[in-house]
Amino acid sequence: VGRVRVFVVVAPGLERVAADELRSLGVRGRMPSTRGGIEVEFTTRQLYLVHRWSRIATRVLVRVESGPARTFDEIESLVATIAWDAYLRDGGVDGGGVAVHVASQASRLYHEGAIAERVLRVMARPADPDGQRVYVRVDRNRATISIDASGASLHHRTWRTVTHAAPLRPTLAAAMLRIAGYDGTRPVVDPMTGSGTIAIEAASIALALPHDRDFAFQRWPSFETGTWASVTASDPSAPERTSARVFAADRDEGTVAAARVHAAAAGVGELVSIESAPLTRQRWPEQRALVVCNPPYGRRIGERHELSDLYAALGNRVAASGHELCLLAADDRLVRATGLELVEQFATTNGGIGVRCWATPPR
Ligand SMILES: C[S@@+](CC[C@H](N)C(=O)[O-])C[C@H]1O[C@@H](n2cnc3c(N)ncnc32)[C@H](O)[C@@H]1O
């Protein structure tokens, strides 16, 4: 079985939880991570399967070549050894155009535009910003050349149509759910749902919904239609009846309307109920549930005082209900205002803001 070396791009901070997700998808072996990605080997089948099922990865790059790159001549001969015909069509519908992304550091070749030009010339393909992405990373005079297998970023979800001020990245919502041990079988409460990201991600897990979209590798000449067909044919069937329910709420009516549109578009409308109510008046399930929450961060001056009441109210409701909590917050003092014992799980960013994920310790 052919294996490919890949770099799975993830949001910095999510490497461990993403590696755990890869293992759950059947990927084995060492998974050394650097900030923002995991190096791993995939079979072709795993490459396809991970695209269909990973909720945490941002994109997957196939490593095609690496070698010394002290001069333009060296980088050109490296590019010339690659069998591009496996990845790029000649002409045809998409014109075979390529978008070359170069990043160089601590190297003699530092002019990224000039590197991109040379690479394109050797590849003999037209430049196309929307074409197949090729990544050239030059680090300490060595180049690594990768080809993007994903196309549009995997954090893109087709259901998101209504603009919302500060939506959570779905990949981050998925990371929170995984770190909290959610497997789709128990009730989830998202009491500050905004555009609905956490609730929809949870329901998609409960209903075993794959990413239903096209990926860049499907346009490669080396695409194995049989392997892809066997991946999609072995999709787990959605549970016939699931006791899992997802309770979402927000005090903002406009946002609740958007979340309902999104849940319907995602095909999870039946599992998710969305209430328009402030935290203190929401009806939460009686059964033991997982509360997954992305409250306002309180970055503006004067906001923290007001928000510490909200975080305290959240802590009180969680303590009174006996539910578990997984919380994303930007300010540790607000986390302490919950009065709950919480354990830090990971640190990352969302919308340019540094955030940490906290969860109830295992009982
Ligand atoms: C950071 S946003 C959540 C974003 C959401 N995760 C998403 O992906 O769109 C915080 C949300 O908390 C809501 N909120 C603030 N105070 C609330 C309260 N007392 N009760 C319920 N919701 C509240 C806001 O209306 C806002 O939608």
Side-chain angles (χ1 to χ4, degrees):
V1 184
R3 297 179 78 84
V4 283
R5 280 185 54 226
V6 302
F7 185 70
V8 179
V9 181
V10 299
L14 302 190
E15 297 84 3
R16 271 190 37 206
V17 61
D20 181 59
E21 183 190 54
L22 290 177
R23 284 194 196 91
S24 77
L25 293 170
V27 180
R28 298 281 170 264
R30 274 172 29 79
M31 296 191 192
S33 67
T34 48
R35 199 159 163 71
I38 304 165
E39 299 272 356
V40 63
E41 268 190 15
F42 282 169
T43 60
T44 303
R45 189 186 165 81
Q46 285 169 339
L47 179 70
Y48 297 177
L49 186 89
V50 165
H51 276 89
R52 198 160 167 81
W53 288 103
S54 170
R55 298 182 193 277
I56 300 176
T58 303
R59 119 178 358 273
V60 180
L61 311 182
V62 173
R63 300 287 203 212
V64 283
E65 194 54 272
S66 66
R70 297 185 67 80
T71 62
F72 283 120
D73 278 353
E74 277 187 337
I75 210 163
E76 284 182 8
S77 39
L78 203 61
V79 174
T81 59
I82 297 167
W84 292 107
D85 292 348
Y87 309 105
L88 300 169
R89 295 188 186 283
D90 271 328
V93 235
D94 23 305
V98 177
V100 180
H101 298 257
V102 181
S104 170
Q105 62 168 8
S107 298
R108 282 185 53 192
L109 295 182
Y110 61 88
H111 192 312
E112 297 172 350
I115 299 173
E117 239 170 67
R118 299 291 185 114
V119 170
L120 266 175
R121 201 185 309 156
V122 177
M123 291 174 76
R125 309 280 169 168
D128 175 1
D130 299 321
Q132 169 68 58
R133 292 162 191 251
V134 171
Y135 290 84
V136 180
R137 191 166 56 89
V138 187
D139 187 8
R140 281 159 293 168
N141 300 313
R142 270 189 80 76
T144 305
I145 299 166
S146 311
I147 190 142
D148 166 46
S150 305
S153 166
L154 297 175
H155 74 232
H156 178 72
R157 302 286 193 267
T158 48
W159 51 257
R160 193 184 291 288
T161 50
V162 186
T163 318
H164 180 264
L168 188 63
R169 240 181 296 114
T171 43
L172 177 47
M176 293 174 73
L177 289 158
R178 173 162 280 275
I179 216 92
Y182 177 68
D183 63 358
T185 55
R186 57 180 160 150
V188 167
V189 181
D190 175 6
M192 302 182 211
T193 200
S195 60
T197 316
I198 296 170
I200 293 170
E201 226 29 58
S204 306
I205 293 167
L207 293 172
L209 298 181
H211 294 299
D212 196 9
R213 48 161 275 194
D214 291 340
F215 305 106
F217 63 75
Q218 289 171 284
R219 294 190 298 274
W220 294 352
S222 56
F223 176 55
E224 298 175 12
T225 42
T227 307
W228 176 249
S230 109
V231 165
T232 57
S234 53
D235 281 351
S237 47
E240 267 179 18
R241 241 187 299 135
T242 166
S243 60
R245 304 281 321 166
V246 179
F247 299 81
D250 202 286
R251 69 163 179 199
D252 182 289
E253 269 179 39
T255 234
V256 164
R260 288 196 179 119
V261 169
H262 288 156
V268 299
E270 293 212 347
L271 205 65
V272 182
S273 59
I274 308 176
E275 195 184 2
S276 171
L279 176 75
T280 45
R281 292 215 300 274
Q282 296 169 6
R283 280 159 306 176
W284 287 8
E286 306 265 307
Q287 276 165 288
R288 245 183 88 189
L290 173 66
V291 179
V292 189
C293 195
N294 169 216
Y297 296 134
R299 302 294 288 182
R300 280 191 300 270
I301 300 168
E303 235 180 353
R304 189 184 300 136
H305 185 67
E306 193 187 314
L307 281 179
S308 78
D309 289 347
L310 177 65
Y311 280 70
L314 175 68
N316 284 338
R317 280 216 70 171
V318 169
S321 62
H323 297 334
E324 283 173 46
L325 176 67
C326 181
L327 174 72
L328 195 74
D331 185 329
D332 295 356
R333 280 168 287 193
L334 289 174
V335 175
R336 282 196 291 279
T338 62
L340 300 172
E341 185 199 348
L342 296 169
V343 178
E344 187 185 331
Q345 306 293 325
F346 58 75
T348 184
T349 59
N350 187 57
I353 297 172
V355 289
R356 291 173 206 275
C357 173
W358 301 82
T360 308
R363 292 176 217 196

